[in-house]
Structure formats: C-alpha cells, structure tokens
Amino acid sequence: MGRKSALNNVGAGVGRVMPGSEAPTSHADDDVARRSAVAEEQEFLDLATARRDRLADHLQAELSADALDALERARLRLLRQQYEELRRAQEGLVFGRLDGRDGTVRHVGRVGLRNDDEGGEPLLLDWRAPAARPFYTATAVDPQGQARRRHIRTTGSAVVGVDDEPLDGTVTGELVGEGALLAALDQRRTGRMSTAISTLQREQDDIIRAEATGPLIVQGGPGTGKTVVALHRVAYLLFAHPKIADQAVLVLGPSPRFLQYIAQVLPALGETAVVSATCDTLLPGIRVGREESRLLAEIKGRALWQPALENYVTSLLPRPRELRLRWEGEFYVIAAATVAQALASVRGRPYHRARQSFAEQLHHVLAEAVVEQREALMEEMEEGFEDILARVDRSMQYDRHPGGGSAGSDVDGLLSEEEIEDLRRRIAANATIARFVEAWWPTLDAETLLRDLLTDCTLLARFAPQLSTEEITAVSAEPAPWASSDIPLLDALADLLGEVEAPQPQGEFVADHARRQRGWVYGHVVVDEAQELSEMQWQMVLRRCPSRSITAVGDIDQAEAAHRHTSWAEAVRAAFGERWTAAELTICYRTPREVMDLTAPVLRQAGSHNTPPRAVRSSGVAPWTLTTTPAELAGTAGQAVRQLRERWHGGTVGVIAPAGRIAELLPLLGDVPVLTATQSKGLEWDATLLIDPQGIAAEPRGWNGLYVALTRCTQELGQLVVT
C-alpha cells in the first residue's frame, strides 16, 4: 500500500481551477489550500531529494573501487549508468502524484527511488513504471482506481505550484493535466527541446508504451508532439527492455541542427545507450561533399538499386576453375569441381566473409593434397623396398626411448593428426598462398566500386535496366564528391562486401562503440521526420535493425524530399511490405489555433486528403501580414524581427524564407536563425517571421514546405509578402 491520501484535507480545486469544476470556496480559502498543498509537496520533495542524494553517494563510492575482472567491469558499467540517471534527475525529480480511491498516495518522478524500507512501496515511482501509467491515462470517465491526479511544478529544489484534477466524474476535459500542460506550452522557447514527462497526453503515452515487436509508423501533424513521443519512447523501451540497452538505440534525425535541438532530452532522462545521427552521417569517415538536383536524388533513392548492387557484387565473385598452388617447391592442382563446391558453400555471404570462408576451405584442401601426395610417394617407395623398410623399422624400434614414442611420422610415412593440423596452420599463415588468394579473389573498396558503376553507362544499363537512357546519362555525368543520395548506395555496397568489425574494448560505453561501427546492429531505431526518407534510406535503417524494432514518426503532408510517395504505405512498402503498424497523433499542442486555421487550404494545394490536427490552445495573437517590395525587403524584415524579439524577450524568434533568399537575408538579421522550410523541420520558436510565402510555395513540393513553415511558432506568426 502507498501512503495515505491527504485528499480530504487539501481539497480538489487547488491550483488552476479546471473547466466545469469551479469551487464554491472563497479566494482566501483557495489561497490557504494552495499554500498547504505546496507545503505538503515541498516536504515530500525534500524527502525524495535526500533519498536520491544518499543513493547517488552510495553508487559513487562503489564506482571508486578498482574493477579487476570482466564481471566486475560489467557491474560497474551498470552502476555508472544508475549513478548518471540519479545525478541528472535534479530538475523535476518529482512532478506528479496519484491519490487512489483506496486512500493510497503514489508520487511520480523522473526516476524511481526505493524507500528506506526495502520491502515496502517505492518512495517515488519511475514515470515509465506500469504503476505510473494512470498518471497519463486516467480520466473522469475511466479513473482507473484514482480519485485525483496532481501535477507538481518545481524550480530546482522548490515546489512553486500544483494543479489538481479530480477524477471522480466532476471534470470531463479531454486533456490530462490541462493546467500544467498549458503552462508548459506558454513558456518561452530556449532553442533546446526539454522533457515532457510531466505533461504527456493519453494518445502520446499509448504510443510511447506500445510493443516494440515490429515497425511502428506514427503519423502526426505539426505540434502533435511526434518528437517528444519518439524520444520518450526510447527512454521507456530502455527502461522496460534492458536488453535493448546492450545493443544501444539509434535516433535518426533530419539534420544536425535538429539533433542539436533534441540533444538534451535523452541525457536529461538518464539515457546514455543512444546514438544520434542523420542518414548522411551513418557511415564513419564518409561525408557529403556536394548538393545535387532533385531529379538525381529521386533516381538514386529508388528501391531498384538494392538488387542492382547485389547483382553487381555477385558479378565480381571469382568463377570456378582449376587452381594450381605451389607449396614447398611442389605444385598441387585443385580440381575445378572442388573449387565449384567450395564456392557454392559460401554463396550468399558478404563478399569478403565469403572469401575468408573459401580461403579456410582452400587451406584444408591443399593440406589434404599435400598429405595424399606424400602418402602416394611412400607407397611407391614401399613397392620396391619392403625388406629394407622392415629392417629400418626394427632398428628404429630398438633406438626408441623406453618411456616415450616417436616424435615424428610413423614409419609408414603417415602424418599424425597433430602434424596435419600443424601443416594446415602453416599453409594458412603462408604469405605466398595469401597473395595467390588475394590475386584470384581481390579485396574490394565500396567507394571505388560505386564510382566505377555510376560513371559507366554500360554497367548501369546492365545492372539497373529499369533506368531509362536519359536517367543513365544523368547519373553517369555526376562529379566525384559524394552527394546525400550516394550514402545509402555506399552503405549497401559496404554491407554486401562485409567488413570485419573490431571487438568491443572493455569498459567502453556501448553507444561509443556502436557510433564507430558501420555494421552495428541496434536494439531499436527511431526515425524522426520519417516521411523524408527515400526507399534506399529505409534500407539503411533496416540493415541496422534486422529485428524491425523500429519507431518512425513524421507527417506525410510535410514531405519535401525528391521521392514520389504521398502515403506511408508507398513510403515503407519496399522495406517493410505490409508488415507494419500505424498510429496517429491528432491533437496539436504547440501551434496556436489562430495559426492552424490557416493550414487547411495550404494542405489542399499540397494534394493532401488529411485533416489538420486539432489545436487545443489559443495564443490570443492573430497572424499578421505585411507587404513589401524587393528593394524594401531587407529593411522591413529587419524591423519586423526587432519588434518580434522585443515582444518575445527571453524567448526565440525564427525566420523562414525561400532557398533563393537565404543568402541575402543571413547577414542582415544578426543571430536570428534564417532557414529554408526544409531546414526548419522539427524546430519551433515563440514567433516566426515567414518571408515570401509565395516563393516557398513555388519551390518543388512548395505547398508542403509552406505547411511546415506556417506551423513552427508557439505564439505569433508574421508574414512578409514580396510584390
């Protein structure tokens, strides 16, 4: 049982009064009740903080001990992870409370804390624990055994407010913790995403806790919390399935700026077994060196390249033929049929691993040939010298040491098993044999192979016959530096070639090791802005998680990439077929209602048949539009930005413009971010200045880009129309 509830002493209307539950008490009574509730929660926060500090000090003391063996090192890694989780849980340690109808009280926080009484209830429930789920899912219609939910607002070690929700049927609002949620949404933006564990909503929590047995594709419009859901799902899965942490989690974002924006979320939740990257940075040592046309990006993003590259590498395998090997001055012939059998046994493996397996078989076959030839020579000798060999045999028996046996071969010339095994080892280590194998089955380089293929029209026509003559010409005319669409092709080739991975150094965090290994297999992969991935980029994802434990979040209506798909079924069919699960986020929390009202006609222009998410809040600031000329644009934009920064002092302002205007605006607007619609994906500011919306709409997939640009603000949207 939890602690006994003080519900009757505090009252259900503390903090923000919920719609439909106006308390009949006076303002003075409300103030007394509020102060009493804050004091009560401050007392608990002090207790939980002291317990957290004691546990952290204990773990730190254990970590200072020397670790000698592998088992101890593994234990220390676990202790270090627990210590880091406690150390980071300083801000927002306690943020919620559930008062059960049975009189129990359970507090919810960023981490779980054991009570001093090891056999009793936890002092603090981890937000990811099953017992904490009613904090996110209980409603007045379905209270799940709860009488009240309390949101606790803290700053540092001080409780600064509480928001109570009675769950006894007197409140029927659709939002969980509406007061705390709206307070969080109205806060100034800092340019970094923060955790949202205290204000997650039911549809978000359902996705966070969904099973991870296959691909989960989450459709969500602007401001629905897609990224929040994806990152908190990582934290939940690492908590609920510790084995995933042994393999790490890969988080793929659309841009380095986006990854910087979300960088603090998972560490703040205590998670370290996470690798963050973009599709362009997944290959260690490979960097994108040039931009390319949308036409080429679309061509090289098609699924046809996967079988094309497989056939290309297969064509480079050696063909069966008779092999003539030299060993200790003698030549040995390996029959073509034997070579064909060995090649068939390694078929289907990556190129270099197949060669290694073939070489091992070749060493055995050569050793057998050497043994057989020696035995044959001995048989020839024995036919004419039986008497001599008999006398030699008798003399060797007389000369043997009484306590031991012969150290060499038997007198009949047969090699012992130990001698045959030694022969195999010497053959495997022989440089001449290694050079022969390398010449017949050479080491290949993915970059060289891809350049050879992409610059040779004949090879392209042979291995990618689906391409038209014009498309082949366009691809083969590309310059040398790699473009973004080349990275998945390089990755596919590297996988088909099969590098040998290095062993994991002892004591290294799994994420640090995974980050350096192209072929690392992750326990789970999260893809944000997933609608932008090409079919070949989805193959990159699948290679890194063959278990298909994948969460992909995005908005198909915000797709701006060069690919042609306009539905999730089209986007993931090449990678997943029909074996994936769909989920949807329908409520917009970030973008105010005044701005979301502008999006429906833009979506129609984009060809969408979806309904925009429903905004649940109003900023009270109507979107505004100014008209300017090209000559006056710089001055008008500069003045508008200054006014927005003054109005939203302490928050953030962002500028979005067509790609062709970025260069002229960057030096004029100081340190305010000036981005294209594509670059702004996943980001948010208190206020957005949208410059030349017609210019954005005129870009490729421009209406989708305009939809993105309109929905980046949390408070105010201004537009400069250039005439």
Side-chain angles (χ1 to χ4, degrees):
M1 297 293 292
R3 298 184 303 116
K4 286 300 177 183
S5 174
L7 175 61
N8 294 332
N9 297 327
V10 177
V14 176
R16 184 181 186 276
V17 178
M18 301 300 296
S21 63
E22 287 74 9
T25 56
S26 67
H27 291 299
D29 290 337
D30 284 346
D31 191 51
V32 170
R34 183 177 294 107
R35 288 200 302 270
S36 175
V38 169
E40 181 184 17
E41 300 307 340
Q42 183 66 60
E43 180 181 356
F44 180 82
L45 178 59
D46 293 342
L47 176 66
T49 300
R51 180 62 175 153
R52 182 196 69 86
D53 292 344
R54 288 197 302 274
L55 289 172
D57 290 344
H58 175 72
L59 288 172
Q60 190 175 35
E62 288 200 62
L63 287 169
S64 64
D66 292 332
L68 300 178
D69 54 35
L71 183 62
E72 186 68 11
R73 283 193 293 269
R75 177 176 173 273
L76 285 183
R77 283 198 295 273
L78 178 60
L79 292 177
R80 189 181 298 115
Q81 181 179 345
Q82 294 173 343
Y83 171 74
E84 285 298 317
E85 189 174 49
L86 288 172
R87 185 182 67 83
R88 293 176 183 273
Q90 294 179 353
E91 187 70 31
L93 175 63
V94 180
F95 58 76
R97 166 175 150 172
L98 289 168
D99 290 11
R101 289 183 171 181
D102 60 0
T104 58
V105 172
R106 292 180 174 87
H107 279 83
V108 181
R110 284 180 49 175
V111 296
L113 294 177
R114 301 188 305 272
N115 218 319
D116 289 325
D117 178 8
E118 294 291 340
E121 285 273 327
L123 177 67
L124 183 65
L125 282 176
D126 190 298
W127 69 275
R128 298 161 290 191
R133 193 172 191 193
F135 184 77
Y136 301 105
T137 59
T139 64
V141 177
D142 178 24
Q144 301 174 34
Q146 308 303 315
R148 180 180 66 182
R149 171 176 34 236
R150 169 172 287 176
H151 287 262
I152 303 166
R153 300 196 303 277
T154 61
T155 299
S157 60
V159 176
V160 297
V162 296
D163 292 285
D164 283 347
E165 287 180 274
L167 299 172
D168 56 4
T170 61
V171 177
T172 58
E174 65 178 324
L175 298 179
V176 172
E178 182 177 355
L181 173 64
L182 295 181
L185 293 174
D186 285 336
Q187 289 178 350
R188 293 289 190 268
R189 268 38 192 179
T190 63
R192 293 276 183 125
M193 177 175 281
S194 59
T195 65
I197 48 177
S198 63
T199 56
L200 293 171
Q201 299 298 296
R202 179 163 189 159
E203 71 174 10
Q204 296 174 323
D205 187 74
D206 287 342
I207 293 171
I208 288 170
R209 298 175 193 261
E211 290 297 322
T213 53
L216 176 64
I217 310 297
V218 181
Q219 162 65 28
T224 54
K226 299 183 294 295
T227 300
V228 165
V229 166
L231 297 179
H232 287 70
R233 178 161 168 77
V234 171
Y236 170 76
L237 291 176
L238 289 172
F239 173 85
H241 305 284
K243 288 186 177 180
I244 289 179
D246 295 337
Q247 297 175 270
V249 172
L250 173 64
V251 175
L252 280 178
S255 67
R257 181 184 289 271
F258 175 84
L259 295 179
Q260 183 180 14
Y261 173 63
I262 67 171
Q264 299 303 312
V265 176
L266 287 170
L269 294 171
E271 304 302 344
T272 57
V274 179
V275 175
S276 297
T278 68
C279 287
D280 286 354
T281 61
L282 272 180
L283 290 184
I286 303 295
R287 291 293 176 265
V288 171
R290 64 177 171 84
E291 297 289 334
E292 66 182 345
S293 69
R294 290 178 64 85
L295 171 65
L296 284 171
E298 188 277 322
I299 293 172
K300 289 194 283 186
R302 298 176 193 171
L304 67 88
W305 289 96
Q306 187 63 37
L309 294 172
E310 291 171 2
N311 293 333
Y312 179 40
V313 171
T314 299
S315 73
L316 302 173
L317 293 172
R319 297 292 181 263
R321 68 174 177 85
E322 182 180 275
L323 300 181
R324 193 164 180 263
L325 301 173
R326 183 181 179 89
W327 177 252
E328 294 185 343
E330 298 289 336
F331 283 100
Y332 298 86
V333 175
I334 311 300
T338 302
V339 174
Q341 184 177 6
L343 287 173
S345 70
V346 301
R347 185 176 295 120
R349 302 181 190 182
Y351 177 93
H352 292 125
R353 294 176 193 169
R355 183 184 67 175
Q356 181 179 355
S357 297
F358 176 85
E360 292 170 357
Q361 294 187 56
L362 186 65
H363 299 154
H364 282 276
V365 171
L366 178 57
E368 290 173 358
V370 172
V371 171
E372 290 174 1
Q373 183 163 315
R374 176 169 179 166
E375 291 175 353
L377 288 173
M378 291 302 297
E379 289 177 1
E380 291 177 4
M381 293 174 61
E382 287 176 359
E383 289 178 0
F385 300 100
E386 290 87 348
D387 293 340
I388 297 174
L389 287 172
R391 290 196 297 273
V392 170
D393 186 25
R394 287 194 294 272
S395 66
M396 289 181 69
Q397 288 178 353
Y398 295 146
D399 291 339
R400 281 182 183 141
H401 190 279
S406 174
S409 306
D410 293 336
V411 295
D412 59 4
L414 297 179
L415 296 178
S416 67
E417 286 298 326
E418 292 80 4
E419 290 172 318
I420 294 174
E421 185 58 35
D422 178 67
L423 174 62
R424 288 171 181 156
R425 283 194 295 267
R426 288 190 292 119
I427 289 173
N430 185 268
T432 301
I433 299 296
R435 284 194 296 271
F436 177 88
V437 173
E438 174 65 29
W440 187 64
W441 194 327
T443 300
L444 298 178
D445 172 69
E447 291 190 73
T448 302
L449 278 184
L450 186 59
R451 285 200 172 92
D452 290 345
L453 175 63
L454 296 183
T455 56
D456 190 322
C457 292
T458 301
L459 287 178
L460 287 170
R462 175 184 172 190
F463 294 109
Q466 303 94 323
L467 297 178
S468 68
T469 302
E470 293 76 13
E471 290 171 335
I472 289 174
T473 300
V475 169
S476 63
E478 282 294 274
W482 297 123
S484 180
S485 65
D486 293 318
I487 303 301
L489 306 186
L490 277 172
D491 186 62
L493 274 176
D495 186 69
L496 291 167
L497 294 179
E499 312 94 332
V500 178
E501 305 293 1
Q504 179 176 352
Q506 292 294 334
E508 184 179 26
F509 279 117
V510 63
D512 296 330
H513 184 62
R515 192 174 288 109
R516 294 195 294 270
Q517 301 299 319
R518 185 213 62 82
W520 186 266
V521 173
Y522 290 88
H524 192 79
V525 176
V526 167
V527 185
D528 206 327
E529 300 294 344
Q531 74 278 357
E532 303 301 339
L533 267 61
S534 69
E535 290 174 327
M536 286 303 292
Q537 286 173 326
W538 278 114
Q539 293 293 335
M540 292 181 77
V541 173
L542 194 55
R543 275 191 287 276
R544 282 156 179 80
C545 194
S547 69
R548 302 188 175 209
S549 180
I550 298 166
T551 301
V553 300
D555 181 3
I556 203 69
D557 291 324
Q558 295 187 53
E560 295 181 83
H563 53 63
R564 298 172 180 173
H565 62 248
T566 57
S567 70
W568 285 114
E570 294 173 347
V572 302
R573 183 177 294 123
F576 305 141
E578 305 300 324
R579 298 174 58 189
W580 55 280
T581 303
E584 187 173 6
L585 296 167
T586 62
I587 301 174
C588 174
Y589 307 100
R590 176 188 67 213
T591 310
R593 191 176 297 115
E594 294 87 347
V595 174
M596 288 305 296
D597 288 344
L598 303 177
T599 61
V602 174
L603 278 182
R604 287 195 295 271
Q605 289 287 347
S608 171
H609 300 288
N610 297 326
T611 301
R614 181 166 46 85
V616 296
R617 56 184 284 271
S618 171
S619 67
V621 182
W624 50 266
T625 300
L626 292 177
T627 301
T628 186
T629 65
E632 298 171 335
L633 175 59
T636 306
Q639 182 179 5
V641 166
R642 286 192 296 273
Q643 292 173 346
L644 288 173
R645 297 186 76 172
E646 290 173 2
R647 283 199 290 276
W648 301 104
H649 180 70
T652 58
V653 175
V655 176
I656 303 176
R661 295 193 182 275
I662 298 296
E664 67 172 303
L665 292 170
L666 272 174
L668 303 174
L669 300 181
D671 58 352
V672 173
V674 182
L675 307 174
T676 66
T678 300
Q679 292 169 337
S680 73
K681 278 184 181 296
L683 305 181
E684 61 179 31
W685 303 282
D686 293 280
T688 301
L689 179 64
L690 179 53
I691 295 177
D692 191 8
Q694 306 98 315
I696 294 176
E699 294 177 331
R701 278 203 163 181
W703 289 105
N704 300 85
L706 185 56
Y707 181 54
V708 173
L710 286 171
T711 55
R712 297 305 95 195
C713 71
T714 65
Q715 304 292 344
E716 182 176 356
L717 171 68
Q719 300 186 69
L720 293 186
V721 176
V722 182
T723 59

